[in-house]
Amino acid sequence: AELERQIVFEFIVNEVRIGKFTADHRYLDLSTGQVVVEDVKGVLVRDVGLRLRLMKALHGIEVKLWPERKRKSRRKTTEVKP
C-alpha cells in the first residue's frame, strides 16, 4: 500500500473555513481494504479531541492515534461503603 504523508483536511461548515487538521499518514490496509488515517502524538494538545471529532463529523474519518491511548473518564466514581 502506498503511504501518503502530511495530508491536510479542511474543516468547512456552511462554506466557512473553520480550521484544518494535518494527519501524519494515510495508507490502504491490504488485509481489510480500508483506508487508514493515522496521527502520531508525542504529547496530546488540548484541542486534539475536538479535531478528531470534527474529522469524524465532517469527513467521516476515524483517525487512529499513535501510540494508542485510552480515553480518560471525566466521570468521578464514588465508592459505596457498606
Side-chain angles (χ1 to χ4, degrees):
E2 188 173 317
L3 177 67
E4 297 176 78
R5 295 177 55 204
Q6 300 299 308
I7 306 93
V8 177
F9 295 91
E10 299 284 335
F11 298 145
I12 299 172
V13 177
N14 297 327
E15 300 179 18
V16 176
R17 183 184 179 274
I18 59 170
K20 68 178 183 174
F21 176 77
T22 303
D24 290 320
H25 308 107
R26 178 170 59 188
Y27 59 90
L28 177 64
D29 183 339
L30 297 176
S31 65
T32 64
Q34 297 286 333
V35 174
V36 179
V37 176
E38 289 184 334
D39 199 50
V40 178
K41 292 289 183 209
V43 176
L44 289 180
V45 292
R46 183 176 214 165
D47 69 343
V48 72
L50 173 62
R51 292 187 183 276
L52 295 179
R53 289 191 302 275
L54 283 168
M55 284 293 289
K56 181 71 173 173
L58 298 176
H59 296 289
I61 297 172
E62 185 104 20
V63 177
K64 293 175 76 175
L65 285 183
W66 190 91
E68 291 185 33
R69 293 179 170 89
K70 292 184 179 178
R71 297 187 87 165
K72 291 182 181 177
S73 174
R74 292 180 177 237
R75 185 177 296 174
K76 292 182 179 181
T77 57
T78 55
E79 189 175 308
V80 178
K81 295 182 180 180

